[in-house]
Amino acid sequence: MDILKKIQDHREKEEELKWEGTFAEYLELLKERPFLAQSAHSRVYNMIKNAGVDEGHDHKRYKFFDQDIYGLDEAMEKLVEEYFHPAARRLDVRKRILLLMGPVSGGKSTLVNLLKRGLEAYSHTDDGAVFAIKGCPMHEDPLHLIPHHLREDFQEEYGIRIEGSLSPLNTMRVETEYGGRIEDVLVERIFFSEDKRTGIGTFSPSDPKSQDIADLTGSIDFSTIAQYGSESDPRAYRFDGELNKANRGMMEFQEMLKCDEKFLWHLLSLTQEGNFKAGRFALISADELIIAHTNEAEYRSFIANKKNEALHSRMIVMPVPYNLKVSQEERIYEKMIRDSDISDVHIAPHTLRVAAMFTILTRLKDSKKAQVDVLKKMRLYDGEILEGFSDVDVEELKKEHSDEGMSGIDPRYVINRISSTIIKKELTSINALDVLRSLKDGLGSHASISAEDKERYLDFISLARKEYDEIAKKEVQKAFVYSYEESAVTLMDNYLDNVEAYCNKAKLRDPLTGEELNPDERLMRSIEEQIGVSENAKKAFREEILIRISAYARKGKKFDYQSHERLREAIQKKLFADLKDVVKITTSTKTPDEQQLKKINEVVATLVDEHGYNSSSANELLKYVGSLLNR
């Protein structure tokens, strides 16, 4: 579709959504759809909940965060369940500032932007529709028009509780423009927009000497004093501060704890009482979610100052740690690369995974359990099933350190090093070794890394390198075995014949001599040992294979090379072990003969077609694995 046509369609849809009517007509709407009168906190909660919730085994996953927040399901669940949900139910936490605390590049700003963009989109839906008094710069709730003495009667009739008082400007407008007839006051549907300063505000501290409190609460329009005769006339006041414009939605307080004190005192009244002081007027009601973010060092400094106790007591602090799952860290890098100018560079398979392994290792804390080293912990956190560990063990590991994930290497550093590698060397293809080398080179110039941490991080780079060595060997193993698949199938058939004879306590017959033979224990063990099947577990493993074969037969299906994942892995490893000498010669010879060259080309083709490499990265992988095998 033509882009101009899309713009036109969007404009027409916006027009369709618009609504304008009298306050009396708005009350009729409320009878049909009472949820339209929801509070700011309730609106945010319903927006998150309506996006979908996955009820997991131990945790809920709120799908609203899926697109931009990776690996923080538990932190997001805590945020929703301990803040947004009770705040939506009008419990006392709604009278608190939400302070997100976490390390740099941990996702705090991303989370706030997600909420802001979400509210903009939600206000265009039927469930998230917002209505305000027409012409009000603060987009005031029309229900504030109901006089206080009639609000109990209104609640009985409509089931809706009203909080807040009519603003000075609208109080005057009701008298001067509508002759006191509140039923005639015009109401319109509004759409949240940060750009248009409707329902979403952002405040960022600057030089305290030059920044004015008017940035928050609005200011007097001196050009109108002569017209209206008084500074206390609400028509002479610009209600254009961030607190005014964020009414009905949310306001982001960037770097809140760096603000001058005079900017923070307004929040005491706003959070606790739902109003703030502006100009020479009575307190002005505002319904908005105030969300701020900071790092741990600034937060500790803030609470250490006794002068901040009143404000601190009005905060709910939510930790936003780094992600601790390798697979999710990979997704973060993929997204950052998609959004960058290096998205056209070929990144060899497993490159980002190996970088993610290093990053996650820097964020983990040593376990108190002797049998759990940092690599095992990394795998368990990523959902891998390790023998001897259960979900309960993983939950216990997570409880060992309450501050785990609040320090370590941030994603931006990794992307910066990847970018640096590409730009310096003008590469069109990079692999895991390029990235690990660049990560290592950058540690010395990373300002926040201590000498002690640098030593630890170098060890983690070595660990990530060893992990990559195993991945690389497996990758080449799979590609070589693919070329020898006929041999793999023959080996598996031989194994299955022996397993069947073993389980049935029968003999095998030699196809050449016809003599009866015992099952070949050495052959079976040489395959089973490839995947760690112990001597004690071999009988159960073999019986399980036989059961699987029987199940396939009952369904009229043939049990083949692809039917049992662990057995296929064992066959591949066994075949690769037998082929190791061939692989060594093929991958490391400088002048391959015709047969070797054919084999190399077959393997490169498999790596390109089946595993996502290009010809350059596939050849580099083969050379590297050849050097590993020759060590």
Side-chain angles (χ1 to χ4, degrees):
M1 188 186 292
D2 184 277
I3 189 65
L4 294 176
K5 178 72 169 65
K6 287 184 178 180
I7 292 170
Q8 182 184 337
D9 288 348
H10 175 72
R11 188 166 56 243
E12 289 172 359
K13 190 174 180 182
E14 289 266 295
E15 285 299 318
E16 287 173 15
L17 291 174
K18 286 181 180 177
W19 183 92
E20 186 178 309
T22 63
F23 182 59
E25 290 169 329
Y26 174 65
L27 290 182
E28 290 302 313
L29 269 185
L30 282 186
K31 280 185 178 176
E32 297 171 25
R33 299 154 66 192
F35 62 84
L36 294 175
Q38 62 191 326
S39 67
H41 287 85
S42 178
R43 189 173 292 109
V44 173
Y45 172 68
N46 287 327
M47 169 187 76
I48 294 169
K49 189 181 69 170
N50 289 358
V53 187
D54 267 354
E55 301 277 353
H57 178 60
D58 294 312
H59 302 284
K60 290 180 181 177
R61 180 173 65 85
Y62 288 90
K63 295 180 182 179
F64 175 81
F65 304 105
D66 282 358
Q67 191 176 351
D68 290 294
I69 306 291
Y70 303 122
L72 296 180
D73 291 347
E74 290 164 41
M76 294 304 101
E77 180 189 17
K78 184 178 181 184
L79 174 65
V80 175
E81 297 298 320
E82 294 186 16
Y83 183 79
F84 287 126
H85 191 182
R89 302 291 292 273
R90 297 182 186 269
L91 293 172
D92 216 42
V93 295
R94 73 194 171 105
K95 299 178 179 179
R96 306 286 183 271
I97 298 163
L98 175 60
L99 180 65
L100 305 175
M101 182 184 70
V104 294
S105 191
K108 303 183 296 296
S109 298
T110 302
L111 172 56
V112 175
N113 284 331
L114 192 60
L115 291 170
K116 289 196 285 192
R117 300 295 83 78
L119 276 174
E120 288 176 342
Y122 193 56
S123 68
H124 285 74
T125 67
D126 289 342
D127 290 341
V130 188
F131 293 82
I133 295 172
K134 187 176 181 183
C136 173
M138 285 184 60
H139 338 292
E140 188 164 11
D141 186 346
L143 293 183
H144 286 180
L145 292 163
I146 303 283
H148 283 272
H149 68 279
L150 294 177
R151 289 186 177 182
E152 281 190 20
D153 296 339
F154 178 83
Q155 186 172 349
E156 277 185 31
E157 185 178 347
Y158 284 82
I160 298 169
R161 185 166 61 185
I162 304 171
E163 292 181 338
S165 301
L166 195 63
S167 67
L169 178 61
N170 284 323
T171 300
M172 176 174 278
R173 288 180 64 207
V174 168
E175 295 302 320
T176 57
E177 294 178 30
Y178 298 99
R181 290 178 57 82
I182 63 170
E183 63 269 34
D184 294 339
V185 173
L186 289 177
V187 174
E188 65 178 348
R189 182 173 179 180
I190 62 169
F191 304 99
F192 287 164
S193 167
E194 185 176 21
D195 293 339
K196 295 177 181 177
R197 300 185 74 218
T198 305
I200 297 174
T202 305
F203 183 81
S204 183
S206 58
D207 183 3
K209 293 177 183 175
S210 61
Q211 194 161 28
D212 193 338
I213 198 71
D215 292 348
L216 272 184
T217 60
S219 59
I220 296 168
D221 184 353
F222 288 102
S223 66
T224 62
I225 299 296
Q227 180 182 352
Y228 297 119
S230 169
E231 291 182 15
S232 59
D233 189 310
R235 292 169 298 181
Y237 197 83
R238 286 192 290 253
F239 293 88
D240 61 356
E242 293 304 319
L243 293 180
N244 308 103
K245 293 299 182 181
N247 186 35
R248 313 294 301 287
M250 67 175 278
M251 191 187 89
E252 176 190 10
F253 230 114
Q254 295 178 349
E255 302 298 341
M256 177 182 174
L257 304 186
K258 290 178 180 172
C259 279
D260 190 76
E261 290 174 0
K262 67 181 179 183
F263 293 98
L264 299 180
W265 300 138
H266 280 282
L267 302 183
L268 294 175
S269 173
L270 180 58
T271 52
Q272 194 63 37
E273 309 299 334
N275 52 47
F276 64 93
K277 191 80 172 79
R280 299 178 181 180
F281 308 114
L283 291 168
I284 296 175
S285 296
D287 172 30
E288 56 198 79
L289 160 67
I290 296 181
I291 186 166
H293 40 90
T294 187
N295 60 50
E296 194 169 2
E298 283 180 352
Y299 176 69
R300 298 294 170 210
S301 173
F302 173 78
I303 60 175
N305 186 345
K306 294 292 183 186
K307 289 167 66 178
N308 296 325
E309 282 182 353
L311 190 60
H312 182 233
S313 69
R314 287 170 172 81
M315 289 178 178
I316 293 281
V317 181
M318 282 288 165
V320 182
Y322 283 133
N323 156 60
L324 296 176
K325 296 177 180 177
V326 171
S327 54
Q328 296 300 312
E329 191 72 11
E330 250 189 297
R331 291 183 66 200
I332 294 172
Y333 301 157
E334 286 166 358
K335 180 180 183 295
M336 293 172 86
I337 286 169
R338 277 197 308 273
D339 296 342
S340 74
D341 291 335
I342 60 172
S343 55
D344 58 332
V345 174
H346 173 75
I347 298 176
H350 311 294
T351 299
L352 299 182
R353 182 166 187 80
V354 171
M357 285 178 183
F358 162 70
T359 312
I360 299 301
L361 288 170
T362 68
R363 299 172 184 172
L364 297 176
K365 292 187 178 289
D366 291 332
S367 173
K368 296 166 188 173
K369 298 183 178 184
Q371 74 273 28
V372 181
D373 61 25
V374 73
L375 274 175
K376 275 185 184 170
K377 194 176 193 183
M378 178 189 79
R379 291 193 173 99
L380 287 167
Y381 276 17
D382 203 34
E384 284 189 43
I385 298 169
L386 299 185
E387 195 173 339
F389 293 95
S390 65
D391 291 343
V392 175
D393 295 313
V394 177
E395 290 305 311
E396 286 177 3
L397 286 173
K398 288 177 181 176
K399 291 173 184 173
E400 283 185 343
H401 302 283
S402 59
D403 60 341
E404 191 167 54
M406 298 299 277
S407 61
I409 291 289
D410 63 279
R412 286 191 196 127
Y413 172 74
V414 176
I415 295 301
N416 289 345
R417 296 313 302 167
I418 290 174
S419 305
S420 174
T421 303
I422 292 165
I423 292 162
K424 272 185 187 174
K425 298 186 178 179
E426 297 183 351
L427 299 175
T428 56
S429 173
I430 61 169
N431 59 35
L433 294 177
D434 294 323
V435 172
L436 287 177
R437 202 176 296 118
S438 184
L439 289 170
K440 182 180 179 181
D441 293 343
L443 292 177
S445 57
H446 198 299
S448 63
I449 296 178
S450 65
E452 184 184 347
D453 281 341
K454 184 180 175 184
E455 287 303 312
R456 285 176 54 246
Y457 292 175
L458 287 172
D459 288 341
F460 293 145
I461 284 176
S462 297
L463 280 177
R465 168 76 177 267
K466 286 175 184 172
E467 290 293 298
Y468 176 64
D469 289 352
E470 292 305 309
I471 290 169
K473 282 190 276 190
K474 281 181 185 173
E475 200 85 320
V476 173
Q477 166 191 307
K478 283 189 284 186
F480 258 90
V481 170
Y482 184 84
S483 303
Y484 286 92
E485 188 157 0
E486 191 178 315
S487 305
V489 171
T490 303
L491 182 60
M492 192 187 78
D493 288 342
N494 194 1
Y495 173 78
L496 293 178
D497 288 342
N498 280 275
V499 163
E500 192 172 359
Y502 170 86
C503 291
N504 295 330
K505 295 184 172 55
K507 299 273 188 183
L508 288 166
R509 191 172 295 280
D510 189 297
L512 294 176
T513 65
E515 66 176 307
E516 289 190 331
L517 303 170
N518 289 321
D520 190 340
E521 185 65 24
R522 183 182 291 178
L523 171 73
M524 288 187 288
R525 291 302 294 140
S526 70
I527 290 169
E528 292 157 358
E529 285 169 353
Q530 301 294 331
I531 52 171
V533 175
S534 65
E535 184 71 25
N536 293 334
K538 68 181 184 183
K539 186 172 184 289
F541 181 75
R542 293 169 189 176
E543 287 173 347
E544 192 260 320
I545 295 286
L546 215 58
I547 291 167
R548 181 78 66 93
I549 292 170
S550 300
Y552 268 64
R554 281 199 306 275
K555 294 175 184 175
K557 291 160 68 177
K558 187 179 182 300
F559 185 92
D560 61 22
Y561 181 58
Q562 304 294 331
S563 300
H564 194 288
E565 193 173 326
R566 288 193 73 209
L567 179 57
R568 186 172 77 246
E569 183 188 349
I571 296 290
Q572 287 177 348
K573 284 185 173 180
K574 167 64 177 162
L575 190 59
F576 188 64
D578 294 344
L579 289 170
K580 196 166 278 187
D581 287 339
V582 177
V583 177
K584 278 186 190 179
I585 295 165
T586 309
T587 56
S588 60
T589 184
K590 291 181 180 176
T591 54
D593 61 31
E594 190 178 334
Q595 190 62 33
Q596 290 166 344
L597 195 59
K598 184 184 175 189
K599 186 55 65 182
I600 288 172
N601 290 337
E602 282 179 9
V603 173
V604 167
T606 302
L607 288 169
V608 172
D609 296 340
E610 304 291 329
H611 301 287
Y613 291 82
N614 65 6
S615 58
S616 171
S617 59
N619 277 297
E620 284 177 4
L621 178 71
L622 280 176
K623 284 178 190 171
Y624 181 62
V625 171
S627 71
L628 289 177
L629 295 175
N630 279 307
R631 284 177 189 173

